Amino acid sequence: MGDMKMSQQKAAVETPSSGETYTCPMHPEVHASKPGNCPKCGMKLVKEAPKTTPDKHNGMGMPMKEGAKKPGSMEDMKGMQMGDGNATMENIKKAKAKLGRVETISSNTPPRTVRYDLYVADTTVTFGKKSKRAIAVNGRIPMPTLTFTEGDTALIYVHNNLDEETSLHWHGLFLPNKMDGVPFLTQMPIMPHSTYIYKFPIVQHGTHWYHSHSMLQEQIGMYGAFIMNKRKEWDIPTIPVVLSEWTDMKPEEVHRSLKNATDWFAIQKGTTQSYGEAIKTGHFKTKVNNEWKRMTAMDVSDVYYDAFLINGKNQNEQPQFKAGDKVRLRIANGGASDYFWLNYSGGKITVVATDGNDVEPVEVDRLIIATSETYDVVVTIPENKKYEFLVTPEDRTKSASLWLGSGEKVFAQKLDRPKYFAGMKMMNEMMDMQGNMIEMEGMKMQNQIMDMNTVMYPEITGRENPKAKNKKTNAPGMQMPDNKSMAGMNMADGNPDMVTLNYNMLRGPKKTTLPKGPWKELKFDLTGNMNRYVWTLDNKTVSESVKILIKKGENVRIIMFNNSMMRHPMHLHGHDFRVVNAQGENAPMKNVLDIMPMERDTIEFAASENGGDWFFHCHILYHMMSGMGRVFSYENSPPNPELPDTELAWKKLSADDSKYHPMAIIGLESNGSDGELMFSNTRYRLSTEWRVGLKSEHGIESETYFGRYIGKMQWLMPFVGFDYHYNRMNNERENNLFGQLSNQKNRKAAVIGAQFILPMLVTAEARLDSKGKLRFQLMREDVPLTSRLRFNFMANTDKEYMAGFRYIITKYFSLSTHYDSDMGYGAGLTITY
């Protein structure tokens, strides 16, 4: 952003009065006497307010009461107008005027029991490059759209024709706890070749969806729209839109690969951020700083996907619309792990509901929909042409399109790939050496108002390489947020007024204040690390925590701080919650909250159910399966007849995040074989390393360790183990660097020690064996030199050392070469699993 030519900016700049100073929202150490742009990041400087002691509640920033303004907070930053209610109200007024009067149609059918029979079966699909196994319901992916009217009773027969168990969860629905569809929490799983009946009243309306809550079945087809109409519904053409993604890889292998910290997905996406790429783009210092803080490459999504789908198709045609038609899209993000950008070539998008709850209409140019969120939007067909409703995953690798109308195609503006080194630089500044996100003084980070990923958007800040010259991307204007969000800045097309939705713009049509009653306040830090792919709340997984007791009739406030580098869509089963935002008493009701890095958000809900256990979890499938969740349990709940053995059920539920995953790296080279076999879960690791020389004098070595990872970032692992070392050495009495006998000829010893991750991601190991010998070792695997070339090294006080290279060919195979102090030079093949 620092290379952008801001002199051509057309936005009005306020003339400073005497004594006024300006600062950068992201770099508070920057001070200026005039308005302008930050020399570090290029963001617009904002008025600097006098410092005051921020309001606190038990040591945590609390949302302000309606009408209150906190000096020095983002609401008081006039240059940014983060909490400008007037801007939202003007937007709402304009959106209502454009939407006009929408006629309604009343249901003439009295409330009734609506039955669906759902047949769950294996199938084969070719959404990507290969034919792969999927799960279809009634022969369809996505599953059939289930439609009801408020007041109906749902009667759903699920016929499981699979050879494995399954379940169905009704996302966002208010229903009896035993019908919620979470195996081992509210029911036992539906066993293979059996039928289970769900029956519950339809007591709400809106766009929702349903999906499997068993294993990783949601990833391979078990998701579908669940629509509940009002008794008086809008008389407007309506299309259920289910967004999803597809991978040719088995979801179990996806999860295992994430646990293995492989960067194969980054290679597939072209986002490795190697040292070579850093040097080429002028970001060598950024890369070094990143690894100095023990962070791996920057990313905005975890998994590479082969295809993205809209109602099961990459290109979905809806030609029946003509000029002047308004179309309501009921959009559900049924993806397993992706956020999606939504934009429309036919003009503005009018948001009218979220997570099944109506909001005051608001116009935006684009919005991002989190995993598992739903939005109802209205778009207009301007002319008799075919307009693109473009769906782009957050990593912008591919896209999918819904075409509305017929005639000449009108394409939406494509989104360029993110600038990962810019994001890496931002994260370097946002994270301290202990792996914690740094909350910035005077910054009230909440409700998506400030999208920290903004620096990565080429449409805002130009190309990745600051030296590259491109007049189109180095465009002049820069629009800062006035309730339009930082993500709304647009420079690629010279439009400084692009509006991007954020949660502060969502306003309920009615007051949503909770009923009077006692309050229970909970606070969670969203924690985790990418290196071992462990995701937690307060550094605890579901299996490591206990149920959180709540009482019927009390109000529950949850304050969450995202102390991780990833976004997390937090979903509460069976309840809607208020998202405490700038709309005061009219705060919106949702059941999913997208919380970005460094944000502190507050939600509130009324504990109004008749008992039971309700899941609260991150809805990124692989985060949930890694343990990121809690269970809310109503006190004095009657026994659930669906769970005859509650202790066994809890063990089964806990098994997801405590599961051991196998991993291996096996070198087969001309001088012998070396490698490691490992079984690892959230906290523990059992591993065996070996070196077997091709020649007898090269010897045999084996080191087996069992250890436990300590701390939130899991940089420390104490271990116990056994060392076997046999080598026909000429100097049998060789000493190590401590003057002790190495005894490499025939070493059989128990060991105790610890490994610790140093800056630059170097693993330091100190150990003591049962013979009294000390050893200290430094090593690192997979230093990224280029997108596919990796360097590794090891040296220890036993005078053993190794260095080598690995060139990645496929996910599992690499060409490799290395020099080992015992085995000499070798070259061959390395298998990574």
Side-chain angles (χ1 to χ4, degrees):
M1 294 175 73
D3 284 354
M4 296 177 60
K5 297 179 181 180
M6 307 306 297
S7 59
Q8 302 177 43
Q9 184 174 337
K10 298 180 181 180
V13 178
E14 189 174 347
T15 303
S17 59
S18 177
E20 286 182 346
T21 59
Y22 295 79
T23 188
C24 173
M26 293 309 303
H27 298 95
E29 69 274 14
V30 173
H31 305 279
S33 59
K34 297 179 181 180
N37 297 91
C38 175
K40 292 190 174 184
C41 67
M43 287 179 58
K44 184 178 178 181
L45 299 180
V46 299
K47 279 187 179 180
E48 196 168 18
K51 288 187 177 180
T52 60
T53 303
D55 293 344
K56 296 284 182 180
H57 183 86
N58 293 337
M60 302 183 71
M62 285 294 294
M64 300 299 294
K65 293 181 179 179
E66 185 181 16
K69 255 189 181 180
K70 185 171 74 173
S73 71
M74 294 179 69
E75 290 91 334
D76 200 49
M77 295 179 179
K78 294 181 180 179
M80 303 189 74
Q81 297 176 315
M82 290 298 188
D84 188 352
N86 291 331
T88 295
M89 296 311 293
E90 285 298 318
N91 190 320
I92 290 172
K93 183 178 179 181
K94 183 179 178 181
K96 283 184 174 180
K98 283 192 176 180
L99 192 60
R101 177 180 174 82
V102 180
E103 298 294 333
T104 60
I105 183 170
S106 298
S107 173
N108 295 321
T109 305
R112 60 198 176 108
T113 296
V114 178
R115 173 172 170 167
Y116 285 96
D117 284 84
L118 303 179
Y119 297 88
V120 185
D122 278 319
T123 189
T124 302
V125 298
T126 312
F127 289 138
K129 299 175 183 177
K130 304 175 182 177
S131 294
K132 290 291 180 177
R133 182 228 177 187
I135 299 177
V137 172
N138 295 3
R140 297 182 51 185
I141 297 177
M143 298 189 289
T145 296
L146 307 186
T147 304
F148 303 88
T149 301
E150 204 169 4
D152 287 343
T153 297
L155 180 62
I156 303 171
Y157 284 70
V158 180
H159 309 279
N160 182 12
N161 293 333
L162 299 172
D163 291 329
E164 64 189 40
E165 61 194 40
T166 191
S167 63
L168 284 176
H169 166 60
W170 318 99
H171 183 104
L173 268 64
F174 309 151
L175 72 184
N177 183 248
K178 65 181 182 179
M179 293 286 102
D180 193 45
V182 182
F184 304 116
L185 185 66
T186 65
Q187 67 171 84
M188 294 301 289
I190 305 171
M191 300 308 290
H193 307 287
S194 68
T195 297
Y196 188 84
I197 302 172
Y198 292 97
K199 184 177 182 180
F200 49 86
I202 302 297
V203 297
Q204 63 199 113
H205 59 262
T207 301
H208 295 78
W209 65 297
Y210 67 114
H211 58 87
S212 170
H213 227 293
S214 293
M215 299 171 284
L216 300 168
Q217 293 173 346
E218 180 188 328
Q219 177 74 90
I220 54 173
M222 289 194 69
Y223 48 83
F226 195 104
I227 307 298
M228 294 175 286
N229 291 310
K230 301 175 183 177
R231 301 302 299 178
K232 275 190 174 183
E233 192 56 82
W234 279 4
D235 187 13
I236 181 174
T238 301
I239 303 174
V241 177
V242 179
L243 312 179
S244 62
E245 73 278 265
W246 178 262
T247 171
D248 284 342
M249 190 181 295
K250 291 181 179 179
E252 294 80 11
E253 177 63 6
V254 170
H255 195 204
R256 194 193 63 79
S257 297
L258 292 168
K259 290 286 187 180
N260 197 16
T262 175
D263 61 355
W264 177 245
F265 294 138
I267 291 173
Q268 289 181 295
K269 291 193 284 186
T271 61
T272 48
Q273 300 150 63
S274 67
Y275 275 99
E277 293 163 303
I279 293 170
K280 184 178 179 180
T281 57
H283 288 287
F284 177 74
K285 183 179 178 181
T286 298
K287 179 65 176 176
V288 172
N289 288 341
N290 182 253
E291 294 200 340
W292 182 255
K293 291 192 174 184
R294 292 171 279 206
M295 289 190 284
T296 53
M298 177 68 189
D299 204 354
V300 294
S301 59
D302 300 331
V303 182
Y304 170 83
Y305 286 103
D306 294 280
F308 297 95
L309 308 173
I310 299 174
N311 292 343
K313 298 179 180 179
N314 181 258
Q315 300 293 308
N316 196 300
E317 303 273 351
Q318 298 290 334
Q320 65 270 29
F321 304 111
K322 60 183 185 301
D325 285 351
K326 288 182 170 59
V327 183
R328 180 183 187 178
L329 305 178
R330 292 181 175 267
I331 306 170
N333 184 350
S337 65
D338 265 299
Y339 285 61
F340 292 103
W341 280 108
L342 311 177
N343 60 307
Y344 177 55
S345 64
K348 299 284 188 180
I349 298 171
T350 303
V351 178
V352 296
T354 179
D355 290 346
N357 295 286
D358 293 340
V359 295
E360 295 281 15
V362 62
E363 284 190 337
V364 297
D365 294 288
R366 64 179 182 180
L367 67 147
I368 194 166
I369 182 170
T371 308
S372 80
E373 271 189 315
T374 74
Y375 279 103
D376 285 32
V377 304
V378 176
V379 295
T380 301
I381 312 298
E383 302 177 42
N384 286 319
K385 296 180 180 180
K386 184 183 294 186
Y387 293 90
E388 184 179 27
F389 191 85
L390 182 64
V391 176
T392 310
E394 193 180 12
D395 62 15
R396 305 180 176 193
T397 48
K398 296 180 174 72
S399 64
S401 301
L402 172 65
W403 295 94
L404 302 174
S406 59
E408 177 188 352
K409 281 189 173 181
V410 180
F411 291 90
Q413 181 179 327
K414 305 297 181 184
L415 298 177
D416 289 333
R417 300 291 291 274
K419 296 162 45 181
Y420 285 98
F421 283 112
M424 181 184 289
K425 184 177 181 180
M426 175 68 75
M427 282 298 176
N428 289 347
E429 297 176 4
M430 290 170 61
M431 184 169 284
D432 64 20
M433 287 298 294
Q434 285 70 49
N436 295 308
M437 306 301 293
I438 304 170
E439 290 191 87
M440 298 183 183
E441 184 178 354
M443 297 283 287
K444 193 174 183 181
M445 304 292 296
Q446 63 177 23
N447 295 330
Q448 304 176 323
I449 298 171
M450 290 190 67
D451 184 351
M452 287 305 153
N453 290 338
T454 299
V455 298
M456 301 173 67
Y457 300 153
E459 67 268 25
I460 297 170
T461 57
R463 304 178 71 177
E464 178 78 81
N465 187 350
K467 297 179 182 179
K469 293 182 180 180
N470 188 313
K471 294 181 180 179
K472 290 185 179 181
T473 54
N474 288 343
M478 184 172 190
Q479 175 261 331
M480 290 307 293
D482 55 353
N483 243 0
K484 300 174 182 179
S485 132
M486 289 171 60
M489 295 182 292
N490 182 290
M491 300 187 181
D493 59 3
N495 173 13
D497 297 318
M498 177 172 280
V499 181
T500 300
L501 185 72
N502 65 63
Y503 285 160
N504 253 16
M505 300 169 67
L506 298 177
R507 179 180 177 86
K510 299 177 182 178
K511 291 182 179 181
T512 59
T513 48
L514 301 184
K516 289 184 179 181
W519 281 83
K520 183 184 188 73
E521 186 171 281
L522 302 166
K523 300 171 185 176
F524 294 117
D525 273 12
L526 279 58
T527 46
N529 69 82
M530 289 294 293
N531 293 352
R532 300 195 63 252
Y533 210 77
V534 175
W535 300 104
T536 52
L537 296 180
D538 292 335
N539 194 30
K540 289 184 178 180
T541 63
V542 171
S543 65
E544 296 168 335
S545 62
V546 296
K547 295 178 181 180
I548 299 172
L549 295 179
I550 57 177
K551 296 179 181 178
K552 183 174 182 179
E554 69 182 2
N555 296 320
V556 181
R557 176 182 292 125
I558 305 175
I559 304 169
M560 290 177 285
F561 174 62
N562 188 355
N563 196 16
S564 79
M565 290 176 59
M566 298 294 290
R567 304 174 82 136
H568 299 288
M570 300 303 296
H571 169 53
L572 176 61
H573 284 218
H575 304 72
D576 278 345
F577 50 71
R578 300 179 76 241
V579 179
V580 177
N581 70 351
Q583 304 305 323
E585 292 182 333
N586 289 76
M589 301 297 293
K590 288 177 61 62
N591 58 63
V592 177
L593 177 86
D594 168 35
I595 179 168
M596 296 194 295
M598 213 170 71
E599 279 196 345
R600 189 181 299 279
D601 288 347
T602 302
I603 61 176
E604 301 170 345
F605 70 93
S608 56
E609 293 299 315
N610 292 322
D613 294 335
W614 302 92
F615 208 4
F616 176 61
H617 63 92
C618 176
H619 218 289
I620 293 176
L621 180 60
Y622 303 104
H623 291 191
M624 180 189 74
M625 295 296 285
S626 297
M628 196 170 199
R630 285 292 186 276
V631 173
F632 287 103
S633 183
Y634 279 82
E635 290 187 18
N636 303 316
S637 295
N640 184 345
E642 300 290 325
L643 298 173
D645 188 337
T646 55
E647 289 188 10
L648 176 62
W650 181 257
K651 289 180 181 179
K652 291 284 190 179
L653 182 74
S654 300
D656 286 340
D657 66 71
S658 57
K659 180 181 178 181
Y660 279 85
H661 297 266
M663 309 167 196
I665 181 166
I666 305 169
L668 302 173
E669 297 186 357
S670 57
N671 59 348
S673 173
D674 62 352
E676 180 180 19
L677 177 64
M678 179 166 58
F679 293 89
S680 178
N681 74 351
T682 304
R683 304 293 178 190
Y684 294 94
R685 187 183 82 182
L686 174 64
S687 63
T688 295
E689 297 182 29
W690 71 85
R691 295 174 188 85
V692 180
L694 190 64
K695 299 178 181 179
S696 59
E697 61 266 25
H698 291 164
I700 300 173
E701 305 174 24
S702 175
E703 299 176 9
T704 300
Y705 294 164
F706 179 73
R708 188 186 193 280
Y709 289 95
I710 306 295
K712 174 176 72 74
M713 299 306 296
Q714 301 194 349
W715 289 331
L716 175 65
M717 188 192 76
F719 63 82
V720 296
F722 187 80
D723 181 3
Y724 174 74
H725 216 110
Y726 176 79
N727 199 328
R728 292 184 180 180
M729 300 179 62
N730 295 325
N731 51 342
E732 297 173 7
R733 299 182 61 80
E734 181 180 1
N735 293 338
N736 64 19
L737 294 181
F738 297 118
Q740 298 173 307
L741 292 178
S742 292
N743 188 27
Q744 293 192 51
K745 182 177 181 180
N746 191 10
R747 181 195 305 158
K748 299 177 182 177
V751 296
I752 184 171
Q755 291 182 352
F756 186 74
I757 305 298
L758 298 174
M760 302 304 295
L761 298 170
V762 173
T763 301
E765 178 185 296
R767 74 173 208 184
L768 175 68
D769 69 21
S770 56
K771 309 296 183 182
K773 188 174 71 69
L774 290 169
R775 191 182 81 179
F776 182 74
Q777 179 172 286
L778 295 175
M779 68 172 295
R780 180 171 172 190
E781 299 280 350
D782 290 343
V783 180
L785 301 182
T786 70
S787 61
R788 290 179 181 261
L789 183 63
R790 304 291 179 263
F791 172 67
N792 55 82
F793 65 88
M794 180 277 291
N796 63 37
T797 55
D798 281 350
K799 300 180 183 179
E800 298 173 318
Y801 53 91
M802 179 276 294
F805 297 92
R806 185 167 67 90
Y807 187 83
I808 301 169
I809 303 297
T810 69
K811 182 180 187 299
Y812 300 110
F813 295 99
S814 305
L815 298 177
S816 59
T817 181
H818 81 291
Y819 178 82
D820 185 283
S821 56
D822 288 341
M823 299 192 301
Y825 288 103
L829 192 69
T830 293
I831 302 169
T832 304
Y833 175 73

